Amino acid sequence: MILHLKQNIDKSQVEILAEKLNAFHIVNDGRNILISGSGMKEVPAEISQFVDESWVFANDIQLASKNYRSEKREVRIGNVLIGGNTGNTVLIGGPCSVESEEQIRSAAELLKKLNLTTLRGGCYKPRTSPYSFQGMGLEGLKLLVKMKEEFGLNIISEVRDASHVQDIIEYSDVVQIGAKAMYDQGILRACAKTQKPVLLKRGFGSTLQEFVQAAEFILSGGNDNVILCERGIRTFEFNTRFTLDLCGVAWLQEYTNLPIILDPSHAMGYAYGVPVLAKACTAMGIDGLLIETHPNPKVAKSDASQQLTYDQFETVLKELRPIAESVGYKII
Ligand code: PEP
Ligand code: MN
């Protein structure tokens, strides 16, 4: 249950109420909000005098639900806005991993040339094998910051575990929580304590309910800036890396108030399928698209098979622009 408390209730009283209800307390636009589990079905009589408005939920999708906030939330990614009524589809480009200054600069130059705004590169890679390239760490993150300064691009990088989450919060415009980290409570709780936007990817074995509940961890801790990312789930199919759940995207659009980004690169796993999937995603009217691109995909240190060449990236962008426009969006 979500309770909007009346204005002018003093702080100590709010704390007493929060404790009594075992509720989270957040302040939004100067308003005190209490959030307790969905088990609570009505406002207890003894506290109703303090409550302005209340919402009851069938399950623990609460702050993220359309029932609570019918308007899609707006989230700032560096110098651009997505969600709300912005009609922006941010095309997030860049390689899977930052590998060298030369490589990440070439990606930054490409995005700049194409009038795009947002560069992504992993520095702390959550690899399936301990023997694979693990990322450049802080050195890579600083290279991304250098590209932000030189090219005016917004930057996104991924957090692998709680040990470096503060570095990502400090340097990156958006903290990406990857599919494998979606359940990591240390990361979720650290991200709840900042106002830094969070791009939360769906775990490949997670239901939509579990996915949105992970977002609730961040929202209920006071960080309003959560973006969901569908990146494919594991099914019985093995010819593609994962299965991009577009039905799930329709469900998220219908029932949640969070901006949604789609990632055809990780879903498909092979470059040949990424452009056509990206077109299908764009036609759904989405807030962002994540496409991996590399100056020479064959020698990429991670996700080599799925990264587009710069030519392929440029070609798909040309095809995506009119599709976005036809559904009232603009690729930025
Ligand atoms: C990535 O974005 O490069 C990545 C590792 O993705 P995911 O967490 O979706 O597997
Ligand atoms: Mn990748």
Side-chain angles (χ1 to χ4, degrees), residues 95-97 120 122 125-127 158 176-181 201-202 204 229 231 241-242 263 266 290 292 302-303 306:
C96 180
S97 301
R120 194 193 73 112
K125 298 303 298 177
R127 304 309 300 279
E158 174 174 11
Q176 177 183 319
I177 301 179
K180 291 173 190 144
K201 286 188 155 199
R202 180 181 181 183
F204 48 74
C229 178
R231 46 76 73 209
R241 191 177 183 192
F242 294 97
D263 172 0
H266 290 87
L290 191 166
E292 287 190 340
S302 59
D303 287 348
Q306 71 196 31

Side-chain angles (χ1 to χ4, degrees), residues 58-116:
N59 58 50
D60 278 346
I61 299 180
Q62 303 197 83
L63 291 163
S65 74
K66 275 254 165 70
N67 285 347
Y68 173 57
R69 259 171 95 150
S70 56
E71 296 284 301
K72 184 161 53 173
R73 292 168 189 260
E74 203 174 85
V75 175
R76 173 172 293 283
I77 295 185
N79 60 18
V80 301
L81 288 171
I82 62 160
N85 295 317
T86 61
N88 288 330
T89 297
V90 60
L91 175 49
I92 303 166
C96 180
S97 301
V98 177
E99 297 173 6
S100 67
E101 179 159 349
E102 191 191 1
Q103 174 240 23
I104 198 66
R105 174 168 289 109
S106 74
E109 281 166 353
L110 174 76
L111 299 186
K112 204 66 200 168
K113 180 183 102 176
L114 300 176
N115 287 321
L116 295 174

Side-chain angles (χ1 to χ4, degrees), residues 142 144-153 155:
K142 289 187 176 166
L144 278 176
V145 174
K146 202 165 174 188
M147 296 309 113
K148 175 183 167 74
E149 287 165 358
E150 277 183 36
F151 295 90
L153 293 167
I155 55 171

